[in-house]
Amino acid sequence: MGLTLSTTRTGRRTLLKDSAHDTPTRASTTEIIDILKLGAAVDAEDKENSSEEGVHAAAGQEVYGFQRRATRKRGGSSLRGTGRSVRGRRGGTARGGAARGSQERASKDAKEEEDDDDEDDEDDEEQVDDNNRSFDGRDGGSSDEAGDADSGYKEQLDDFTHSGPAYERYFENLHSTKSQKTSDNTLSKLPPQTQAESRAILSKVPTKHKSELALLESLHRRQFRQWYFELTSGFNIVFYGYGSKRRLMNIFAAELGSDAPVAIINGYFPALNLKQSLEKIAFEILDLSIASGSVADLASLISGYFNSSSCAVDKMYIVVHNIDGPCLRKHQTSLAVLASNPRIHLLASIDHIEAPLIWDTSSITRFNWTWHDLTTFEPYTVETSYENFTTEAKELGPRGVLHVLASLTENAKGIFRILAEYQIAESVMDDTPESQKAGSTIPEMPYNSYFTACRDQFLVTSEMTFRSQLTEFRDHKVIQSRHAPDGTELVFIPLNAATLGTILEGMD
C-alpha cells in the first residue's frame, strides 16, 4: 500500500490516500511526522517566493506610474499553512487522526481562500474608482471647468480653420455651410462700345519696347535679298510668326513692283470674293477679254497665259495676306495652280496655328513653300477692323450668316439662295465704296414673287410653311422686310452683293 500527499498552493494541506483504492488510511506516527516536515519545508519556500513577487510587483507599479493599495492579507496563506502544519503535527501526535483532521482543514481553507479572492476584487474596483475620481479632479474639477475646456477647443478649431494649412482650409471652405456672396457684375451690364471708341482708346496706349521693335524690323529688312533670290529660284514664300505681317510684306511688295506687276489679295477681309480678284488680274494686268467663269477656271486661264510664248507680261508677283482666311480656305487648290507656275511668284502669310492642315500632299507639292519666321509683335489692327465689334452691330457678317445656315435644312438654304441670287442679279456690280456698304442700293423682292419662286422650286408647299421659314431667318436678322407706301411687303437681305456672293460660295 502506497501513500500520496495531496497539497494545495495555499495552506499545504496533507492528505493520506491509498494509491490502490484512493481511500484515506491510517498511517504510523513516523510517516505522518515525515510528511509534515516535508510540508513545512515547502511552505517556507512558498513564503520566500511570495516576498520576491511582492517586490517585483511594487517595482512594476512604480515604473508605470500607478499607485495601488496593498491587498489586505489576513495572515497570509504561507503563514497560515505553517501554523496549521504545526497544529497538524501536534494534533496528529495527540489524537492519531491526522487524515480526518487534514481533510476538514482543507475544505475550510479552500473556503477562506475564495473569500480572500472576493475581497481582493472589491479592493481593485475601489482603487479604479479612486483613480478615476482623481483624474477627473485634475482635468476639469467641475462642470464649469469642463465647459471652459470645450470653449477653448472651439477657439482652437476656429484658429485652425483660418490659419491652418492651405489644403485643410480648402476642404473646410468647400464643405462650409456659410452662404457665399457672388457678384452680380457681368459683361452684359457694361455700356456698349463702338469700334471707333475702341480705336481711340487703344491709340492712347504708348508703344513699348520701341528700340527692340525697330531692331527686329531692321533684321527682317536685311532678308529682302534672300527672299528675292528664293522667289527667282522657283520657290514660293510663306511667312509665319506672332504679330501683323501686313505692313512689312507691303514694303517688300513695293520693292518687287519695279521688277514685275504685283497683285495684293487681302485674305482677312470677311467679304472677299476671290473670283472678282482673279477677274481683275486677268482684265487689268494680263489684258484678257473673256467671259468670266468659276474660280478654278480663272486660275487655269491665268496659269495657261504664262505658259504661252506670246505673253506680254513675263512674270508677276501675287501677295496674299492671310492665305488661311475664312474666304480662301476652300480655294487652296486654285491658288496652288497659280503657285505651281514658275513665272508666278506667290508670297503668303498665315496666322492660324492649324493653318498647315488645310493643305494636302498634292497642294504642298504645288506650292513649293519656303518657310520664314516674320515675327513683328505688331497689333492686328487692320486685320480685325472688319469684324463685328459689338453684339449690337447692325451689319450682319458672312460668318454669322453661314453659321445660321449650317443649322438649317436644305429647303431653308434654298429659300435663302433664291433671295440672295435675286439681289445679286439686280444690284449694280461696281467698285465704288458706296456699293460696298450694307444697306445701300439693296434690291428688295416682293413677298408674293418670293413665295411663288420658292413654290416653283418645290421648297415650300403652302404659305404657312413659307412664313414659318421666314420667321426663322427674321429671328436671326438674316432676312428683313418692310412695307412699301402702297402696302406691298418687300423682303431683302441686309448685305451687299459682294458679301452675298461670298456667302453663296461658302454654301457650295
Side-chain angles (χ1 to χ4, degrees), residues 60-125:
Q61 294 173 1
E62 184 178 0
V63 169
Y64 289 99
F66 293 98
Q67 187 66 26
R68 184 174 180 178
R69 292 184 300 178
T71 306
R72 291 179 295 178
K73 301 290 184 178
R74 290 181 295 184
S77 60
S78 299
L79 182 59
R80 287 197 301 270
T82 305
R84 292 188 185 94
S85 298
V86 174
R87 287 195 299 273
R89 190 186 307 119
R90 292 176 182 175
T93 306
R95 292 187 298 272
R100 187 181 300 107
S102 299
Q103 185 176 3
E104 294 175 356
R105 284 192 297 271
S107 60
K108 184 178 180 179
D109 290 340
K111 184 177 182 180
E112 291 179 357
E113 184 178 358
E114 292 177 359
D115 295 339
D116 291 341
D117 293 339
D118 295 339
E119 291 179 359
D120 292 342
D121 295 339
E122 293 177 359
D123 294 338
D124 293 340
E125 293 177 359

Side-chain angles (χ1 to χ4, degrees), residues 450-478:
Y450 191 21
F451 170 67
T452 302
C454 295
R455 186 178 57 184
D456 294 342
Q457 296 292 332
F458 300 101
L459 299 176
V460 293
T461 56
S462 62
E463 186 177 0
M464 183 179 298
T465 306
F466 179 66
R467 283 198 174 274
S468 63
Q469 295 288 355
L470 287 183
T471 302
E472 184 74 20
F473 287 110
R474 286 193 179 105
D475 292 341
H476 295 89
K477 299 181 180 181
V478 176

Side-chain angles (χ1 to χ4, degrees), residues 15-27:
L15 180 63
L16 294 175
K17 293 185 179 180
D18 189 351
S19 60
H21 302 284
D22 197 23
T23 58
T25 60
R26 303 185 68 86

Side-chain angles (χ1 to χ4, degrees), residues 269-271 386 388 393-398 401 423 427-428 430 432-444 477-478 480 492-500 503:
F269 186 60
Y386 298 97
N388 290 335
K394 296 181 180 180
E395 183 178 355
L396 186 65
V401 175
Q423 291 187 196
S427 62
V428 179
D430 56 9
T432 59
E434 289 77 8
S435 64
Q436 301 298 327
K437 296 181 180 180
S440 60
T441 64
I442 294 179
E444 299 170 339
K477 299 181 180 181
V478 176
Q480 299 179 9
F492 64 95
I493 301 174
L495 296 174
N496 55 26
T499 306
L500 290 176
I503 295 174

Side-chain angles (χ1 to χ4, degrees), residues 231-376:
L231 290 174
T232 55
S233 299
F235 294 95
N236 299 305
I237 299 177
V238 58
F239 298 105
Y240 66 94
Y242 180 78
S244 176
K245 295 164 278 294
R246 176 178 175 276
R247 186 179 63 86
L248 200 57
M249 290 178 63
N250 288 341
I251 295 175
F252 181 59
E255 296 186 3
L256 294 177
S258 59
D259 184 41
V262 179
I264 298 178
I265 300 175
N266 296 322
Y268 52 80
F269 186 60
L272 174 66
N273 193 330
L274 183 60
K275 178 182 177 181
Q276 293 182 2
S277 300
L278 296 181
E279 287 177 352
K280 290 182 179 181
I281 292 175
F283 296 155
E284 298 181 8
I285 297 178
L286 306 181
D287 197 15
L288 296 176
S289 56
I290 59 170
S292 61
S294 63
V295 175
D297 296 337
L298 292 174
S300 301
L301 175 65
I302 295 173
S303 179
Y305 171 82
F306 285 100
N307 289 332
S308 63
S309 58
S310 60
C311 58
V313 180
D314 183 53
K315 62 180 179 179
M316 72 170 298
Y317 299 93
I318 299 178
V319 179
V320 182
H321 296 295
N322 293 97
I323 196 174
D324 54 345
C327 297
L328 296 178
R329 293 174 185 174
K330 294 186 177 181
H331 301 300
Q332 298 298 317
T333 303
S334 301
L335 294 175
V337 171
L338 296 175
S340 62
N341 194 297
R343 302 171 68 177
I344 300 176
H345 309 292
L346 181 64
L347 293 91
S349 64
I350 59 174
D351 285 297
H352 200 284
I353 191 173
E354 297 178 353
L357 297 179
I358 62 178
W359 300 317
D360 54 10
T361 305
S362 176
S363 298
I364 291 177
T365 303
R366 287 186 172 185
F367 277 118
N368 196 19
W369 293 122
T370 57
W371 296 74
H372 287 276
D373 184 2
L374 194 61
T375 300
T376 60

